[in-house]
Amino acid sequence: MRDTIFCVFSVLTTLVLAIVSLRYVRDFYLLSFFYSFQVHLAVAAAAASIAALLVKRHWYGLLTLGLSVVLAVHGVIMMREFAEPAVEENRPALFKLMSFNIENDNFANGAAIADMAIASGADVVNILEAEPVLSELPRLLKTYPYYIGCGVGMQECDTLVLSKRPLIEPRIRNLGLLWRNRLTISTIDFDGQKVNFLAAHLTKPYYDEFHGLEIWDLAEIIPSLPGPLVLAGDFNTSILAPDVQWLMRGQGLGTVSLEPATWPIAAGAFGIPIDHVFSKAPLRLKSVRRIQDSFGSNHFGLMAEFVVDP
């Protein structure tokens, strides 16, 4: 009986470790969902290995335990690779950004989301899957008179960017080949300091290779926008995904030391960050925090503050 239990634990642990480890060989899109959970799965595999060793002492249990620890530690290292130096608490923020995928059928909470955005104090608001706040747009425009999306630049109401300041040369582009008009590009002048804003909504990473093509498009667009830059939105994958890591390294993007988990809602702080706010020097993130109420969405929203280094 002990041998059978040990065998079951070992087989399950081996399968999990094999799936996670394949990322070091090839970025296979069908497994990309699991790559985002590398730390979670490695910790679970370590727990299973310990359970197996309690049932029966065997070298294979020690092997899977050691590999689990290595994968978990390396996952943490990769998450912290792009962390920017902390900003002094008393240093004033140049501007504040809200980014929130509100879910496109979340009509019951559209008014409450609009109230929250108005009261947030954010200078710029990115709303993805924005159809539920379309009817609230006249009220939102009293606080945010400048916008793109939801009838301006595109007929769809997927990506909506609202601003208290004028949007300079706002435009909308396609990302990849699957969805249309899921990237907005604009520039905002904050008292003489111009900042480029990209609001992006990427497809799920296991939909063939479309996610990688969208990342490739972003890698071509970002160098064409010199100066401080913000890239924010729903990436549908964590920073552990190989294609996101490639984008971050290649474009010199940074983030906070610990990104807030935004999905799944039920997991709370133990979920994964699939919604991101990235910055490019000389712009730097002062803080990124999760909006505690999901307002009926299947994502948590984010509030971020930025500074510009000399």
Side-chain angles (χ1 to χ4, degrees):
M1 182 65 177
R2 293 165 67 92
D3 289 343
T4 301
I5 295 174
F6 179 85
C7 183
V8 170
F9 274 121
S10 297
V11 169
L12 293 175
T13 303
T14 301
L15 287 174
V16 170
L17 295 177
I19 289 171
V20 175
S21 299
L22 279 174
R23 64 164 299 143
Y24 299 101
V25 179
R26 185 175 184 271
D27 181 12
F28 188 42
Y29 72 87
L30 284 177
L31 299 178
S32 56
F33 176 80
F34 299 101
Y35 299 157
S36 290
F37 282 95
Q38 175 167 334
V39 175
H40 295 69
L41 292 174
V43 170
S49 298
I50 292 172
L53 287 169
L54 291 175
V55 173
K56 177 184 177 180
R57 292 184 181 181
H58 192 277
W59 65 267
Y60 192 76
L62 292 173
L63 176 64
T64 58
L65 176 60
L67 182 56
S68 300
V69 171
V70 169
L71 289 174
V73 170
H74 189 236
V76 173
I77 291 172
M78 286 192 292
M79 286 193 295
R80 297 183 60 84
E81 178 181 348
F82 308 103
E84 299 174 330
V87 176
E88 300 82 359
E89 187 64 32
N90 60 355
R91 185 174 175 184
L94 177 66
F95 65 91
K96 188 176 181 180
L97 167 74
M98 184 181 92
S99 184
F100 194 1
N101 182 333
I102 65 173
E103 195 174 7
N104 56 13
D105 59 354
N106 188 19
F107 291 97
N109 293 283
I113 293 169
D115 290 338
M116 183 270 293
I118 292 168
S120 69
D123 299 283
V124 184
V125 175
N126 296 342
I127 299 180
L128 306 176
E129 300 190 21
E131 189 76 31
V133 297
L134 181 59
S135 61
E136 306 295 326
L137 196 53
R139 193 157 59 91
L140 285 164
L141 293 180
K142 293 179 181 178
T143 302
Y144 300 98
Y146 308 98
Y147 78 103
I148 185 171
C150 292
V152 174
M154 63 169 145
Q155 294 302 313
E156 302 91 336
C157 197
D158 181 89
T159 304
L160 174 65
V161 177
L162 301 156
S163 174
K164 292 180 177 178
R165 298 173 183 245
L167 300 174
I168 302 171
E169 297 183 355
R171 53 203 185 276
I172 295 174
R173 283 197 49 171
N174 297 334
L175 278 179
L177 302 173
L178 186 59
W179 304 110
R180 297 179 64 251
N181 300 330
R182 280 197 163 188
L183 175 69
T184 69
I185 307 170
S186 57
T187 303
I188 300 176
D189 190 321
F190 294 96
D191 301 324
Q193 177 63 69
K194 291 183 178 180
V195 178
N196 297 305
F197 282 84
L198 277 70
H201 187 187
L202 278 67
T203 193
K204 293 176 175 59
Y206 43 83
Y207 283 10
D208 208 316
E209 297 183 352
F210 292 112
H211 192 275
L213 294 174
E214 293 167 350
I215 291 290
W216 187 270
D217 283 349
L218 287 173
E220 290 186 334
I221 293 166
I222 290 172
S224 69
L225 302 168
L229 179 140
V230 178
L231 171 59
D234 176 10
F235 280 58
N236 271 306
T237 189
S238 83
I239 202 171
L240 288 173
D243 56 357
V244 178
Q245 295 240 318
W246 174 80
L247 177 70
M248 301 284 285
R249 293 191 188 100
Q251 303 306 317
L253 300 175
T255 186
V256 289
S257 59
L258 183 62
E259 290 187 289
T262 60
W263 181 88
I265 294 298
F270 295 99
I272 59 173
I274 66 172
D275 302 87
H276 304 283
V277 180
F278 300 142
S279 63
K280 185 172 183 178
L283 193 68
R284 191 147 56 100
L285 280 158
K286 180 180 179 182
S287 65
V288 178
R289 65 175 180 83
R290 188 176 66 186
I291 299 171
Q292 292 306 310
D293 193 335
S294 68
F295 292 93
S297 174
N298 59 348
H299 294 241
F300 284 108
L302 297 173
M303 297 290 296
E305 293 182 312
F306 298 81
V307 298
V308 172
D309 289 331

